Amino acid sequence: MDEKVIFLKDTSADADRTRDFYASFLNALRECGLEDKVQVVRVADIGIYNRGLVVKFADKDIVYVNVEEKDIKNIVAQTVKEGKVIEKFLFKDEPKQLRIVLRNCGEINPENIDEYIAKDGYRALCKVVSDYKPEDVIEELKKSGLRGRGGAGFPTWMKWKFTRQTPETQKYVICNADEGDPGAYMDRGVLEGDPHSVIEGLIIAGYAIGASKGYFYVRAEYPLAVERVEKALKQAYDYGFLGKNIFDSDFSFDIDIRLGAGAFVCGEETALIASIEGKRGTPRPRPPYPSVKGLWDKPTSINNVETLANIAPIILKGGQWYASIGTEKSKGTKVFALTGKVKNSGLVEVPMGITLREIVFDIGGGMLSDKGIKAIQTGGPSGGVIPKEYLDTPVDYENLQKLGSIMGSGGMIVMDEDDCMVDIAKFYLGFCVDESCGKCVPCRIGGYQMLSILNKITESQGQIEDLDKLKRIALAMQKASLCALGQTAANPVISTIKYFEEEYRDHIVNKKCRSHKCKHLVNYNVIQDRCKRCKVCVINCPVNAISGDKEKGFFVDPKVCVRCGKCFEVCKFNAIAKE
Amino acid sequence: MTENTKNMQEEIANLVEKWKGKEGNLIMILHELQNYYGYIPRPAALELSRALETPLARIYEVITFYNFFKLSPPGKHTIALCMGTACYLKGAPVLLNEIKNLLNVEEGQTTKDGLFQLDVVRCLGCCGLAPVIKIDEKVYGKVQKSQVMGILSEYGNHNQEG
């Protein structure tokens, strides 16, 4: 008698009812007289998460998810007894992640070029220089629909075409690896994990636009990435993938490294160019665009690390293949640095069009604590927050823009109920004010003024007119700033006002911060029922704001209290309340 | 001419020689100088201005623009406290206060005994470990306020030797 095996696991996040389901299964099997023919096994892990009861039929290679107690009879009668598949429970095994950019990260030794070559490395380069005209490369990219991954999402093929078209003998390509967004490390991941994939992309870019020289502009704060790129470049020279007459063609190409020195504004094209030229990294007005007048006034194409890592797979598998992934206007995949209050922080690469919910809950494993999700921030200091109501939005360039955020370079920060939106806006704006190069007035003065208003609001001095003032200054910055840093610096403020105006009003009118983040708006009180009169808070208070005696109890004097939170920390009985 | 300035002249002459003919070399030379001295001493900047035939103001304009270049010698150990978004959300401001209190030092400054330099940095790129403190090359992840003192004490006795 051949025995069938069924595996069971309750994968709900809140409870494990596997044992109850097990009993129900045995009952149902007994009713059908199958108890001797089918073995039911409870397992501790089944490789699927947050899908309720998961039932795996070992002999049939079928997996059911989200099964409820009441369904079990039906499942035993139909699937076990008659072998019929019930569609509605069927688990369709679509891997949510799709690794194109990160294809080799963690798979190969990044310091060994042979391992990269074994994974089809430099085959795209060989194919391009032997069989493709530069125009063919650009055509292939056009088919692929690849857009720049640095933030703005400009079609890569157009950028290359414009640079190619400019009549000039000396042209340059630059890889922008000056990743400066706080809370994002996609480029670092790729440069440290698979530097050759970026180098190959840069060489192909050079071939396509007719450049003989490329630069890697890498953040000096990433010493390991710098070291790996240096090693990889040397190996590529040794193997003849760089230098004169690559693959015996007429094409010669050199790459040099230039280190960034910690200036966020250098992510902006024209500022980056100034920095490579050895100057202060201040932007200049465009046009002329770098594709016409860039590095040393020569036509220059600047591409992000992630964009370049996409090039070789597109050449090898064809633009059409790449275009089959993603949404109508946003093709391919995007790497996100998923961080914040999420269970599994890390780099994820997903096809465009996936929803935010899938990224946070299916891939990220849900929230870190039992505090509910409040919002997701994308695009770093140039982006905005997306409140939880929009979690089911498919991620692509257009959708995020519609919501008042941007795709950005790929930072994705999950925030929960403990995070104060005014505080978040202040954090991002503070970053941009710090990093503003000071060249143009709207950004230099506008940012500073907005920040002082936000400070006022969080220090309980806010007035209701401040909201309007913030919006007006923001508009001026958006319209009149010289570069993208200033134009987008107000985005975090605008988007938090858009979705969380209530919270701003709470700060201004009621002088309350519901997340207890803004310390000037928090009042500490002793909860008399819980207080054991141990006086630990009294002893630890640095300004003697707590007084009273053992009979009457202890009280915090809000006029003396400096809101340091020491009493809250030292109380062992949770008898101090924040309000 | 002292031995020191002679060495410095040679060092800088070598550097300039190495980067000669490469356009836009100033930032790269400054990187190497800082690697060597730990900061950019004024005499070195002066010497560089002579060797490159570039006005001193041009050199200082670049040094002061970029966060990475320092004008004063760093402490023996550099504490880099990450203030990236993930670290900020997970309590980096609390850690910063704790360090400031324990060492009696402000951001960007060196303790009086020269043992520690406290820098607040934008993102160390290891957001999965937030909040993060890096001391010299060692990274401490998921740091809690209560652990700060223990971590600092690994680097010797602050203040006691003055």
Side-chain angles (χ1 to χ4, degrees), chain A residues 162 269-270 273 284-294 298-300:
Chain A
F162 292 151
E269 292 188 324
T270 57
I273 286 170
R284 59 158 177 79
R286 300 180 302 177
Y289 286 92
S291 56
V292 179
K293 266 190 172 192
K298 304 292 183 202
T300 305

Side-chain angles (χ1 to χ4, degrees), chain A residues 182-183 188 219-220 259-262 275 277 279-281 296 339-340 413 419 423-424 427-428 431 434-435 569, chain B residues 19 23-24 27-28 31 58 61-62 65-69 83-85 88-90 122-125 127-128 145:
Chain A
R188 171 185 172 159
R219 225 185 150 201
L259 298 184
S275 183
E277 291 174 351
K279 302 178 197 150
R280 286 167 80 95
W296 291 296
T339 59
I413 291 145
D419 296 314
D423 186 57
I424 294 295
F427 170 80
Y428 280 114
F431 178 85
D434 230 28
E435 292 294 339
E569 261 171 47
Chain B
W19 286 95
E23 287 175 288
I27 291 178
M28 295 308 280
H31 269 295
R58 254 282 281 136
E61 131 185 307
V62 170
F65 182 82
Y66 295 98
N67 294 330
F68 197 76
F69 298 126
M83 206 45 102
T85 318
Y88 180 78
L89 289 179
K90 289 189 175 169
R122 277 312 180 181
C123 188
L124 290 168
C127 310
K145 185 182 166 185

Side-chain angles (χ1 to χ4, degrees), chain A residues 169-390:
Chain A
T169 44
Q170 179 66 58
K171 292 174 189 178
Y172 297 101
V173 286
I174 297 173
C175 169
N176 179 358
D178 187 46
E179 185 172 53
D181 274 26
Y185 54 104
M186 298 73 52
D187 296 354
R188 171 185 172 159
V190 179
L191 290 176
E192 288 181 5
D194 191 17
H196 285 289
S197 68
V198 187
I199 293 172
E200 187 176 3
L202 190 62
I203 305 172
I204 294 174
Y207 179 78
I209 71 160
S212 60
K213 173 103 196 174
Y215 285 96
F216 248 98
Y217 186 75
V218 193
R219 225 185 150 201
E221 287 90 333
Y222 287 170
L224 184 61
V226 174
E227 191 191 314
R228 294 241 161 105
V229 172
E230 273 170 354
K231 266 191 197 151
L233 285 176
K234 191 174 171 302
Q235 290 169 348
Y237 270 109
D238 289 346
Y239 277 65
F241 302 141
L242 276 169
K244 292 220 173 332
N245 304 98
I246 296 166
F247 288 110
D248 296 323
S249 67
D250 306 333
F251 176 58
S252 302
F253 193 71
D254 288 297
I255 297 181
D256 247 354
I257 295 189
R258 287 288 183 272
L259 298 184
F264 180 62
V265 69
C266 288
E268 203 279 341
E269 292 188 324
T270 57
L272 188 152
I273 286 170
S275 183
I276 291 185
E277 291 174 351
K279 302 178 197 150
R280 286 167 80 95
T282 50
R284 59 158 177 79
R286 300 180 302 177
Y289 286 92
S291 56
V292 179
K293 266 190 172 192
L295 193 61
W296 291 296
D297 284 342
K298 304 292 183 202
T300 305
S301 169
I302 300 167
N303 296 98
N304 173 269
V305 167
E306 195 184 329
T307 315
L308 290 173
N310 270 308
I311 304 296
I314 289 176
I315 298 294
L316 286 180
K317 297 188 184 173
Q320 243 142 22
W321 159 78
Y322 196 80
S324 70
I325 306 161
T327 65
E328 194 199 332
K329 285 185 175 162
S330 305
K331 302 297 187 190
T333 59
K334 176 80 193 87
V335 182
F336 288 103
L338 183 64
T339 59
K341 308 281 177 67
V342 64
K343 223 172 247 163
N344 312 321
S345 292
L347 289 185
V348 300
E349 183 172 355
V350 289
M352 298 275 192
I354 191 170
T355 65
L356 290 165
R357 187 184 299 281
E358 284 173 291
I359 296 178
V360 176
F361 288 92
D362 295 344
I363 298 174
M367 301 299 286
L368 192 60
S369 66
D370 51 0
K371 291 270 163 43
I373 186 170
K374 186 173 194 174
I376 293 174
Q377 209 279 350
T378 65
S382 308
V385 294
I386 299 168
K388 62 170 188 254
E389 289 76 28
Y390 297 94

